[in-house]
Amino acid sequence: MSTRLPFTKIVHNPTKPELVLANGHHFLVLNTSTGELIKSYPQDAKIDNVSDYYRSMQFNKDGSLLATSGENKQVCVWDTKDWSLKFSRPAYKRVNAIAFNKDSTQLLAADKFGDVYLHPAEQGVEGQEKLQPIVGHVSMVTDMLLTSDDKYVVTSDRDEHIRVSRFPNGYNIESFCLGHTDVVTCIDILPWDETILVSAGGDGTVRLWDYVKGANKQIVDLKSEIEAYKPPAADANSEDAIISALAFDTNTKTLAVAFAKSPAVLILNWKEDVGFVYSETKLAPSPILDIAYNLEGKLWASLDGEKLVHVFGDEEQELAKQINAAEVCKSDKIFDLYTIFGLRKFLDLPESQANEETASNKKRKTD
């Protein structure tokens, strides 16, 4: 019996009311002001073995372009005027994070082997000389960003490190932001103060940094707030909650924090001279896969459940009705939606998965 594939990742356009929802080998787009579908699932789509082609998605600064990458090992750039493919390039390895430079002439792609490549924003040519990485980690890169002034590329890894490197000469390391006690899963620049980096991960904390100096400014420990909403543990890697997504609302200076396989979103409010303060917990009807605020400050969530999308604060779920009734990918076998737990190193990975990582990445804690 075939199952509907959830939307594994969602990302909102920075200038238009448009939400992109990843769905296997395709993506859908909806208007977050009206709930109307802008780009539907293709009627002629035929999939035997579904995989995640849109593990990473990122808009450029003005929202005119969308970069995507995933299991297809391709970096693709789409024109958001008509959602046509502008060009694609080989990514060499599976990409975990992607970003445009400030004038959209270059793309950075961070892969599972710990490398960050700088691609020209143009069609790849078969037989073209392979690029050399500008940043290299001995551990898997989990997230990556380029600061808005194109001065620094910031990377996080599986070994609890955050590195701030100069761009484009990544061998010049500006600082390290050290302090997390488990894998770092998310990093982002604070939208209303770009001197501050926000990070989160498997230790259940959100941390603020003066990232150029590598100095910690605040630690918000959320373990007690999420304790009641943790999913049942399947193994040692999933005994503790792990932060899977961050979303900022610049209108109210609010941070939403989602946890893997949990229906709870924790809301943190910004207080000047203090930082983030826990405010409340919002609950979705089923586990949350990703979150995003729209331009009006409504929090959207993609779900692993009967309903695929939930809009917090919309009691009748009017905005989500069309997308929840829409045609999406169906498959007899759905890939693992919670590989994030495997980033922890308490257990040995299956041999097939371990072989995909570098030799230096095969050591495991054995508590």
Side-chain angles (χ1 to χ4, degrees):
M1 182 179 176
S2 61
T3 304
R4 289 202 307 167
L5 178 68
F7 299 117
T8 50
K9 186 170 181 61
I10 60 175
V11 60
H12 199 280
N13 192 302
T15 62
K16 296 185 287 187
E18 295 177 348
L19 184 72
V20 178
L21 307 100
N23 193 232
H25 293 186
H26 301 276
F27 63 85
L28 285 70
V29 184
L30 66 81
N31 184 311
T32 53
S33 293
T34 64
E36 178 187 0
L37 268 178
I38 298 169
K39 181 180 183 296
S40 301
Y41 190 78
Q43 296 294 319
D44 58 350
K46 293 184 174 67
I47 300 174
D48 295 323
N49 296 308
V50 63
S51 58
D52 190 359
Y53 279 15
Y54 301 97
R55 178 193 299 272
S56 302
M57 301 194 296
Q58 191 67 252
F59 284 100
N60 67 343
K61 185 176 181 178
D62 65 8
S64 62
L65 300 173
L66 174 72
T68 67
S69 191
E71 298 294 324
N72 54 352
K73 299 181 184 178
Q74 292 284 316
V75 173
C76 299
V77 172
W78 309 81
D79 188 335
T80 64
K81 290 179 182 176
D82 56 9
W83 299 104
S84 61
L85 179 65
K86 285 182 70 72
F87 63 85
S88 63
R89 301 180 55 81
Y92 311 125
K93 308 295 181 185
R94 281 183 290 186
V95 171
N96 280 351
I98 198 164
F100 286 95
N101 69 337
K102 64 181 178 181
D103 63 5
S104 303
T105 59
Q106 296 173 308
L107 283 158
L108 290 89
D111 66 33
K112 293 184 69 174
F113 281 70
D115 294 325
V116 178
Y117 291 90
L118 181 60
H119 293 263
E122 59 188 36
Q123 178 67 39
V125 179
E126 190 173 348
Q128 197 171 34
E129 184 178 354
K130 183 178 177 180
L131 300 172
Q132 295 300 311
I134 64 167
V135 173
H137 283 243
V138 296
S139 180
M140 181 193 299
V141 173
T142 56
D143 204 358
M144 178 270 301
L145 62 86
L146 180 64
T147 57
S148 62
D149 56 9
D150 279 5
K151 282 188 176 181
Y152 303 104
V153 55
V154 186
T155 46
S156 61
D157 69 24
R158 190 180 182 188
D159 288 338
E160 305 151 14
H161 303 141
I162 300 170
R163 183 195 299 182
V164 181
S165 308
R166 295 185 184 178
F167 177 78
N169 300 318
Y171 52 80
N172 289 323
I173 299 174
E174 186 72 22
S175 68
F176 287 94
C177 300
L178 304 177
H180 279 285
T181 58
D182 201 347
V183 57
V184 183
T185 55
C186 311
I187 55 172
D188 211 336
I189 297 296
L190 190 65
W192 49 88
D193 185 349
E194 295 193 356
T195 67
I196 295 176
L197 177 76
V198 182
S199 65
D203 59 7
T205 68
V206 171
R207 299 176 186 237
L208 275 59
W209 310 86
D210 179 337
Y211 62 91
V212 176
K213 296 179 180 178
N216 181 248
K217 296 176 69 71
Q218 186 189 17
I219 301 173
V220 185
D221 192 335
L222 299 173
K223 288 191 285 293
S224 60
E225 282 77 14
I226 197 61
E227 180 66 27
Y229 308 104
K230 291 194 311 183
D235 53 37
N237 284 341
S238 56
E239 284 182 1
D240 295 319
I242 185 168
I243 295 173
S244 57
L246 303 175
F248 296 95
D249 177 22
T250 57
N251 302 300
T252 58
K253 293 188 176 179
T254 298
L255 171 61
V257 183
F259 292 77
K261 221 169 184 177
S262 171
V265 176
L266 305 188
I267 304 299
L268 310 183
N269 290 339
W270 180 258
K271 295 190 180 299
E272 298 297 336
D273 301 322
V274 175
F276 281 115
V277 177
Y278 168 76
S279 173
E280 62 175 318
T281 298
K282 295 179 181 287
L283 294 177
S286 53
I288 294 169
L289 294 173
D290 203 4
I291 53 174
Y293 278 104
N294 69 2
L295 301 179
E296 301 166 8
K298 285 189 171 63
L299 182 60
W300 292 67
S302 58
L303 305 180
D304 177 17
E306 182 180 351
K307 300 293 186 184
L308 301 185
V309 172
H310 183 78
V311 184
F312 291 96
D314 183 359
E315 290 188 11
E316 301 299 324
Q317 292 298 299
E318 290 292 335
L319 288 172
K321 279 186 177 179
Q322 192 168 343
I323 188 67
N324 279 325
E327 181 74 21
V328 297
C329 174
K330 293 181 180 178
S331 178
D332 293 334
K333 185 178 180 181
I334 301 297
F335 53 81
D336 185 3
L337 300 174
Y338 302 104
T339 56
I340 190 170
F341 287 112
L343 294 176
R344 283 193 169 125
K345 299 185 291 183
F346 299 124
L347 293 177
D348 284 331
L349 295 176
E351 184 177 355
S352 60
Q353 188 173 346
N355 286 340
E356 294 179 357
E357 302 181 21
T358 55
S360 62
N361 216 12
K362 292 181 181 177
K363 295 179 181 179
R364 300 288 180 266
K365 295 177 184 176
T366 54
D367 291 355

